[in-house]
Amino acid sequence: MLSCPVQTMDPEVSLLLQCPPGGLPQEQVQAELSPAYDRRPLPGGDKAITAIWETRLQAQPWLFNAPKFRLHSATLVPTGSQKPQLLLRLGLTSYRDFLGTNWASSAAWLRQQGATDWGDRQAYLADPLGVGAALATADDFLVFLRRSRQVAEAPGLVDVPGGHPEPQALCPGDSPQHKDLPGELVVRELFSSVLREICDEVNLPLLTLSQPLLLGIARNETSAGRASAEFYVQCSLTSEQVRKHYLSGGPEAHESTGILFVETQNVQRFQETEMWAELCPSAKVALGSPALGLLML
């Protein structure tokens, strides 16, 4: 089902995989971890990654390195029932490697070289898998956050709540191993992480959130094709109640400077508004997903 990215109408993003209408629940997603799905060592060695990391730390000393899951590929597998399974092939990487490859000045060259050496443009890139949420309120608004100027990615832009699934949540320590991360638990962490990010960034109680539905997976072309899984989550609170929770602060309140709401009935025409230019690529994919449009009907 998946061979190459499907281009969207915005050059900053490409749609890697679109889930069936309505999205996929956790029980229809599987994960397979293997060192074969890790990033390839850089042609000239990985010293350049260390140098980039040290330079970034000097400018932004609050950054910290941590293990991440690396998306190698995603395939929708037909089954005998009406419920297809999504298979995610994952490796391991780190935030340091992400900044040293996907955000390096040589990223475009690395993609070209990956295609030449391995037949894979992403072979040399860290590509940590991110998560994002199209979060809908009880009165039919979508929730957005204005990112802080201190964050490493897309400072000052508007985004949906999101972050990363964390290998350390399943296997504490600085160097988790593939064999210590069962696929079933990795999928659980993937779906749990998007709820955790909403709770931490918007300061919402977990019990107010529905179980996530996976809408699709996109590549952020501004960070050399880094992949992000986009979800739909329904909140039982109104937009005004969500605003009050957000303004009272939360564990990750420092990552944003404001909250914004857009009526879901306007989502189909959102690309025509001035705010579209301020959106992070992951937010553009979440809003542009045909599956999201169907969920909003």
Side-chain angles (χ1 to χ4, degrees), residues 133-144 161 204 232-243 259-267 270 287 292 296:
L135 175 63
T137 65
D139 52 346
D140 294 326
F141 284 83
L142 290 177
V143 179
F144 297 87
L204 297 182
Y232 173 81
V233 177
Q234 177 71 50
C235 179
S236 62
L237 303 177
T238 66
S239 54
E240 188 55 36
Q241 290 172 320
V242 170
R243 186 191 307 276
I259 191 167
L260 303 89
F261 299 91
V262 174
E263 288 185 276
T264 56
Q265 65 182 16
N266 296 329
V267 70
F270 200 73
L287 285 179
L292 178 60
M296 295 303 179

Side-chain angles (χ1 to χ4, degrees), residues 18-290:
Q18 180 184 318
C19 292
L24 293 181
Q26 179 177 320
E27 57 267 23
Q28 287 178 239
V29 180
Q30 299 177 345
E32 175 185 310
L33 272 80
S34 169
Y37 304 142
D38 289 356
R39 173 184 66 81
R40 302 286 183 176
L42 299 188
D46 286 354
K47 292 182 179 179
I49 294 177
T50 302
I52 290 173
W53 177 249
E54 291 175 350
T55 300
R56 291 294 292 261
L57 280 181
Q58 290 177 2
Q60 298 172 301
W62 53 83
L63 296 179
F64 64 95
N65 189 28
K68 305 293 178 187
F69 294 107
R70 178 181 188 269
L71 180 68
H72 175 271
S73 59
T75 308
L76 276 170
V77 182
T79 63
S81 68
Q82 297 298 313
K83 298 181 178 180
Q85 293 286 323
L86 174 61
L87 175 60
L88 303 175
R89 296 179 180 88
L90 303 171
L92 290 173
T93 186
S94 68
Y95 193 70
R96 185 200 71 157
D97 286 10
F98 174 48
L99 295 183
T101 58
N102 290 74
W103 282 108
S105 59
S106 61
W109 178 83
L110 287 174
R111 296 185 89 180
Q112 293 174 357
Q113 201 63 32
T116 299
D117 296 345
W118 301 98
D120 177 6
R121 297 179 72 203
Q122 305 303 122
Y124 292 124
L125 301 177
D127 279 355
L129 179 62
V131 295
L135 175 63
T137 65
D139 52 346
D140 294 326
F141 284 83
L142 290 177
V143 179
F144 297 87
L145 300 174
R146 174 76 68 178
R147 291 173 63 81
S148 164
R149 291 285 178 183
Q150 292 190 330
V151 295
E153 298 175 63
L157 294 183
V158 175
D159 201 2
V160 293
H164 302 88
E166 303 288 352
Q168 289 175 314
L170 304 176
C171 183
D174 294 333
S175 301
Q177 302 298 311
H178 304 76
K179 60 181 177 61
D180 299 325
L181 299 166
E184 181 179 347
L185 295 184
V186 171
V187 171
R188 184 186 304 173
E189 166 60 14
L190 175 64
F191 278 73
S192 297
S193 66
V194 72
L195 295 177
R196 186 168 61 242
E197 295 292 348
I198 293 171
C199 293
D200 290 349
E201 294 183 2
V202 192
N203 197 34
L204 297 182
L206 180 60
L207 291 178
T208 67
L209 303 176
S210 70
Q211 289 301 305
L213 293 170
L214 180 60
L215 301 178
I217 301 174
R219 288 200 185 279
N220 181 344
E221 298 301 333
T222 68
S223 57
R226 178 268 187 93
S228 180
E230 304 301 333
F231 294 85
Y232 173 81
V233 177
Q234 177 71 50
C235 179
S236 62
L237 303 177
T238 66
S239 54
E240 188 55 36
Q241 290 172 320
V242 170
R243 186 191 307 276
K244 289 180 179 178
H245 277 277
Y246 172 81
L247 293 176
S248 66
E252 295 183 1
H254 62 283
E255 293 189 2
S256 64
T257 59
I259 191 167
L260 303 89
F261 299 91
V262 174
E263 288 185 276
T264 56
Q265 65 182 16
N266 296 329
V267 70
Q268 301 294 342
R269 301 185 60 185
F270 200 73
Q271 192 164 358
E272 302 171 12
T273 69
E274 294 181 0
M275 186 177 165
W276 183 263
E278 297 186 73
L279 290 184
C280 295
S282 60
K284 291 179 178 180
V285 171
L287 285 179
S289 168

